[in-house]
Amino acid sequence: MDTEDMVRGALREEAALVAVADWSAAPVRDHVHRQRRRRRVAVGASAVVAALTVLAGTGAVLSGQQEVRTSAAARPPLLPDGPAPEAVVVEPGRQLPLDRPGWWMRLADREVCIHDEPAYKSDPGCGGYTWAGDATEITMQYYGNPPQYREGLYNLVYHGPGKVARMAMERDGKSYWATVASLPGDPGFAAGYVWGPSQKSSDGPAAYPLDGIRLAAYDAQGRVLASKTLSP
């Protein structure tokens, strides 16, 4: 027998002399079990808290996504086919032609003014949309083109933060890109125009039913700056 075997034998003999009472074994086992249960509960609670924290942090986003999925009025227009027209920059007060004889648009501080040829004819005046507050909004003006009323001018106006690169309009399930115009620098607003189907016929009522038309303004990365569905 070598030295290592002699040491092992001596240790076994000493261990045999140590008696563990029956009363001490059960409490030890119970204590071990309790510790394990506590660790499991603690881990489970931590996981629940972490999950609730994640949900709390994204609750607004999830709610917003749910609203978009369930509310038709909340969604932006369907994106039109093809590329959007290139945005243009105009000097304040300059007349921007609107692709029809005698029609033009003029931009100034907090004002978008349209020269409506059927209404103004040779008069150099214009009329349009102005605002005073700083609330972010997208809205629209409509100008019919008589006498046949086969088409009309849709003038989209956005005011708020961000730089508008594209605007879109959806009417009766069909989408249209608008040509975006803005002043130099960062004026805080932009206007868009697009010619589309008329909102009335020559023998129809005087009112133009605009409800259900969807509008949206996008930045250069395609993010929605503002969207709206017109209501009666």
Side-chain angles (χ1 to χ4, degrees):
M1 177 181 296
D2 57 20
T3 304
E4 182 177 351
D5 290 338
M6 293 175 61
V7 171
R8 288 177 177 175
L11 290 175
R12 282 195 294 269
E13 291 174 359
E14 290 295 326
L17 298 176
V18 179
V20 179
D22 292 339
W23 59 266
S24 64
V28 170
R29 284 195 300 269
D30 292 342
H31 176 73
V32 172
H33 291 162
R34 282 196 300 272
Q35 289 292 89
R36 288 176 179 173
R37 283 198 300 271
R38 286 172 184 168
R39 283 197 294 268
R40 286 197 296 269
V41 171
V43 171
S46 300
V48 171
V49 170
L52 291 176
T53 302
V54 171
L55 288 176
T58 60
V61 175
L62 293 175
S63 298
Q65 292 173 345
Q66 181 67 18
E67 182 181 356
V68 170
R69 288 195 297 268
T70 59
S71 174
R75 73 166 178 81
L78 298 172
L79 290 179
D81 295 330
E86 185 176 355
V88 297
V89 177
V90 296
E91 295 298 325
R94 175 193 162 193
Q95 295 179 7
L96 175 67
L98 297 179
D99 305 330
R100 297 294 184 275
W103 289 74
W104 48 264
M105 177 169 65
R106 187 172 65 204
L107 304 182
D109 183 34
R110 296 178 181 265
E111 179 186 43
V112 178
C113 202
I114 302 290
H115 180 83
D116 175 355
E117 173 64 18
Y120 288 94
K121 302 189 185 305
S122 59
D123 189 303
C126 61
Y129 178 71
T130 62
W131 62 97
D134 294 324
T136 298
E137 183 185 17
I138 185 167
T139 187
M140 191 193 79
Q141 305 174 92
Y142 174 79
Y143 300 85
N145 194 9
Q148 289 81 19
Y149 291 96
R150 294 195 182 102
E151 65 176 0
L153 178 72
Y154 297 78
N155 174 218
L156 286 63
V157 182
Y158 166 80
H159 49 92
K163 195 170 184 62
V164 178
R166 296 182 296 170
M167 286 182 167
M169 176 194 76
E170 181 185 339
R171 175 190 180 275
D172 296 334
K174 184 173 176 57
S175 298
Y176 306 84
W177 288 121
T179 299
V180 174
S182 62
L183 296 175
D186 188 14
F189 79 96
Y193 70 90
V194 58
W195 290 93
S198 176
Q199 287 297 103
K200 62 173 267 186
S201 62
S202 57
D203 58 352
Y208 298 100
L210 301 179
D211 54 294
I213 294 178
R214 302 181 190 278
L215 315 170
Y218 308 85
D219 65 11
Q221 287 71 45
R223 292 187 291 260
V224 177
L225 297 174
S227 64
K228 183 177 185 178
T229 301
L230 301 182
S231 56

